[in-house]
Amino acid sequence: MSRLPQWVGGLGAGLTRFAQRLDERKAQTSGTADASGEAPAPTPADMSASSDTRGSSGTPTSSGAGVPSGTAGAAAGQAPVGGLAVSEHEHVPPPPGYAPSVAPRPDPVAAVPWGVRVAAEVAWRLLILAASLWVLMRMISAVQLVVLAFVAALLITALLQPTVALLRRHGVPRGLATAMTFISGFVIMGLVCWFVVWQVTENLDDLTENVQHGITELKTWLLNSPFHVTEDQINNIADNLSKAIGTNTKDITSAGIEGVTVILEVLTGILLAMFSTLFLLYDGPKIWGWLLKLFPAAARDGVAGAGPRAWATLTAYVRGTVIVALIDAIFIGIGLFFLDVPMAVPLAVFIFLFAFIPLVGAVVSGALAVVVALVTRDMFTATMVLAVVLAVQQIEGHVLQPFILGRAVRVHPLAVVLSVAAGSLMAGIGGAVVAVPLVAVTNTVVGYLRAYARENALRTAAGESSPEAAGQNVPAGSAGPPGEGRG
């Protein structure tokens, strides 16, 4: 029992030292917080001491009350943190109260040069247009027969529609005028085709004999020519041709089968063209009105103005081409007749048909006439035929086309050659025939829409400035639409 007071005194002294160390740690933490401008976080000892004080007396008291100053000063150098002694010179300084100045990154759009941005904008639009054009070409190639038949129907309608209008002006009903024009037009075209086939079949035997005679003369000329061609070389060429024909018999047979398929497709296209021509002649205005409703209301006025101008261009092109082709066929046919060239009339018809392919058609038909004259007659006759063809084509190009077609169809020769080449690559002879009128119509439509947009912009600008000028002269209370209330 004598040791109990001593043990209690030692325990009280230990608790006193522990409290002093907590106060020193608290004072050190408060000093660091004051240096950084932040309030110190409460420690568990503070919270417990505060709660004990408030629970005992109801008023907060300092945890360091009654502690000798000497003891606090002795323990000011160290503070236990988790059982380790940390010096006050080893504490980590607080972060600065300001953020370092870092230059912001530039906008990516502003970093790209202006020229590159313009090129990119143009490039993706061109890519979209090219993709749309490619899809359109794929769709057209899938229904190529239908498209060519409808385009041919448009060309025939442009040729026959003035006759329907003429009959309508003389009091003939629309149905009767359409039927008369349709039947007469296709009967004439059928008779022309029948006449060509008849002339070719009638002169086929004579043409074969003349070709054989011409080949013999050509062989004789080659033997006596300065090229030193021997008879063995000519015979070898003939044998190689015979072997090639015998080896490719299967290909020739398959080509014949494909020829039958082509004939069926041509007949189908002719029927589609006839059917489309009939309804275009009879219900052309109604079909055009229905097409106008497919366009947005904002663009309908411009399309309504461009349509009649495009039709006038197409009509002028077809009529002018028919007249020019007829003149070429007549004069070249007369020249072939007087030069005693076989099948002068069928050759003249071929010249008329090939004239619908600008530039290229005239060259092909003229070369065909010269070759026939060379094979069936002699070199002098072929030279005279060439002179006749060149003379007629020069008159056509410099006199007839500018006078007959005029300003209605103005297409540059380079555009004609490129369009014919592109049309023939995409759709053969049919594409070559419709390429130039398509380019002419497109040129007319684009020119009108450009002029219409410019005029519309000027009208809009004038409309925006006119109310200010008109408002100075209009009395109050008299504003309203122009013309309203006028007697």
Side-chain angles (χ1 to χ4, degrees):
M1 294 298 293
S2 61
R3 292 182 179 180
L4 181 61
Q6 183 180 359
W7 181 81
V8 171
L11 178 63
L15 291 175
T16 302
R17 288 194 299 270
F18 180 72
Q20 290 176 354
R21 292 173 180 173
L22 287 178
D23 291 340
E24 292 173 0
R25 179 63 180 167
K26 181 178 179 181
Q28 183 179 2
T29 306
S30 299
T32 305
D34 293 339
S36 60
E38 298 180 357
T43 61
D46 295 336
M47 296 174 64
S48 62
S50 176
S51 60
D52 293 342
T53 306
R54 289 175 181 176
S56 61
S57 62
T59 58
T61 59
S62 174
S63 61
V67 177
S69 59
T71 306
Q78 296 181 356
V81 179
L84 299 176
V86 179
S87 175
E88 63 179 354
H89 299 290
E90 297 179 359
H91 72 279
V92 179
Y98 61 89
S101 59
V102 178
R105 293 183 178 181
D107 189 7
V109 177
V112 179
W114 182 82
V116 177
R117 280 186 285 171
V118 172
E121 294 284 341
V122 174
W124 72 259
R125 286 176 171 85
L126 289 178
L127 288 177
I128 292 177
L129 289 177
S132 303
L133 185 61
W134 182 81
V135 172
L136 180 61
M137 291 295 103
R138 295 289 294 179
M139 293 174 61
I140 291 176
S141 63
V143 290
Q144 179 178 347
L145 179 62
V146 178
V147 173
L148 288 179
F150 182 74
V151 173
L154 281 176
L155 296 177
I156 297 172
T157 304
L159 179 63
L160 300 180
Q161 193 269 337
T163 305
V164 176
L166 179 63
L167 294 176
R168 289 281 296 160
R169 286 195 297 268
H170 286 80
V172 180
R174 176 180 292 275
L176 183 58
T178 301
M180 293 173 59
T181 305
F182 175 79
I183 294 173
S184 60
F186 277 94
V187 165
I188 292 173
M189 287 187 286
L191 289 175
V192 170
C193 295
W194 171 81
F195 180 76
V196 172
V197 174
W198 174 61
Q199 287 290 317
V200 171
T201 54
E202 284 291 326
N203 296 279
L204 186 59
D205 296 334
D206 296 337
L207 181 62
T208 303
E209 294 178 0
N210 292 327
V211 168
Q212 292 177 355
H213 178 69
I215 292 174
T216 304
E217 289 186 351
L218 179 61
K219 180 179 177 180
T220 304
W221 182 80
L222 287 174
L223 291 174
N224 299 324
S225 66
F227 298 106
H228 303 288
V229 179
T230 62
E231 187 173 0
D232 293 336
Q233 292 176 344
I234 296 176
N235 293 331
N236 289 332
I237 294 174
D239 292 339
N240 291 331
L241 289 176
S242 300
K243 291 179 181 179
I245 293 173
T247 305
N248 298 324
T249 303
K250 184 178 179 180
D251 296 336
I252 295 173
T253 304
S254 61
I257 296 174
E258 292 179 358
V260 174
T261 306
V262 169
I263 291 175
L264 293 177
E265 291 181 354
V266 169
L267 292 177
T268 304
I270 290 173
L271 292 177
L272 286 174
M274 293 174 63
F275 189 77
S276 302
T277 302
L278 178 61
F279 282 96
L280 287 174
L281 287 174
Y282 184 74
D283 282 335
K286 293 182 181 179
I287 295 173
W288 173 242
W290 178 79
L291 287 176
L292 278 179
K293 294 179 182 179
L294 299 178
F295 290 91
R300 198 169 296 165
D301 293 338
V303 176
R309 289 166 174 80
W311 183 252
T313 300
L314 183 62
T315 304
Y317 174 81
V318 174
R319 286 191 294 181
T321 303
V322 168
I323 295 173
V324 172
L326 187 61
I327 295 174
D328 286 352
I330 290 174
F331 283 97
I332 294 178
I334 292 174
L336 294 175
F337 177 77
F338 282 108
L339 291 172
D340 198 16
V341 177
M343 295 191 307
V345 177
L347 287 175
V349 175
F350 276 115
I351 290 171
F352 172 79
L353 295 177
F354 276 93
F356 285 90
I357 305 176
L359 298 180
V360 180
V363 174
V364 173
S365 59
L368 179 62
V370 173
V371 169
V372 171
L374 177 63
V375 173
T376 58
R377 288 293 177 254
D378 50 15
M379 183 64 70
F380 175 76
T381 306
T383 306
M384 295 302 297
V385 170
L386 179 61
V388 171
V389 170
L390 291 178
V392 172
Q393 289 181 358
Q394 290 298 316
I395 295 173
E396 169 203 339
H398 294 86
V399 179
L400 295 179
Q401 285 190 355
F403 179 73
I404 296 175
L405 297 179
R407 292 179 173 269
V409 182
R410 177 178 289 182
V411 182
H412 196 274
L414 179 60
V416 172
V417 173
L418 294 178
S419 61
V420 170
S424 61
L425 289 176
M426 289 188 295
I429 297 177
V433 171
V434 303
V436 177
L438 180 62
V439 171
V441 169
T442 303
N443 185 29
T444 301
V445 171
V446 171
Y448 172 78
L449 291 179
R450 187 187 298 114
Y452 176 80
R454 188 184 304 110
E455 182 181 356
N456 196 14
L458 293 176
R459 190 184 301 112
T460 302
E464 292 177 354
S465 60
S466 60
E468 300 177 358
Q472 300 177 1
N473 299 325
V474 176
S478 63
E484 184 178 352
R486 295 180 183 178

